[in-house]
Amino acid sequence: MTDKVLRWERAWFPPALMSVVSFSFLMIYYLDPSVLSGVSCFVMFICLADYLVPALAPRIFGSNKWTTEQQQRFHEICSNLVKSRRRIVGWWKRLFALKEEKPKMYFMTMLCSLAVVAWIGQQVHNLFLTYLIVSFLLLFPGLNQHGIITKYVGMAKREINKLLKHKEKKNE
């Protein structure tokens, strides 16, 4: 079910997902817990879910047998998780390869990137920044499934290529 919600199989899943996230963050903002209280409540919620889900899941979802279709979907989810992990490790290795091959480029890239992140962190409230990150991470599978990310990344690439070609013509 979680996979269906994250991939937006129904039109009302994204608004429902954002409503739950927004309500959660509004409650955190309103209650303004200390870090220790927030972590404690989060762990209590995880423990409660760990205790209740095995007992309530068969009653809520029924005790139907695991089907071939469900197994296939589970296999797809696992392979997508493995592919995502491999991409992250690949980017990480490229970053360290850049460090080895071009240390000055690595240093300047990291310095500029971290300066921008620090500036954003200074300008935007931590809780709002966390809300944006969590929202994006939860919406990412659906955005990817519906081709929205591919569309806008393609548009950005075309615009960057136009700018680069325009710059090359200007230099000639």
Side-chain angles (χ1 to χ4, degrees), residues 51-64:
Y51 178 74
L52 292 177
V53 167
L56 296 178
R59 292 183 185 148
I60 294 172
F61 300 114
S63 59
N64 59 350

Side-chain angles (χ1 to χ4, degrees), residues 133-144:
I133 291 167
V134 167
S135 298
F136 177 74
L137 289 176
L138 288 175
L139 292 175
F140 185 79
L143 291 169
N144 198 27

Side-chain angles (χ1 to χ4, degrees), residues 152-163:
Y152 286 106
V153 167
M155 286 173 50
K157 284 181 182 178
R158 283 191 298 276
E159 290 300 319
I160 290 171
N161 286 337
K162 284 180 188 176
L163 289 172

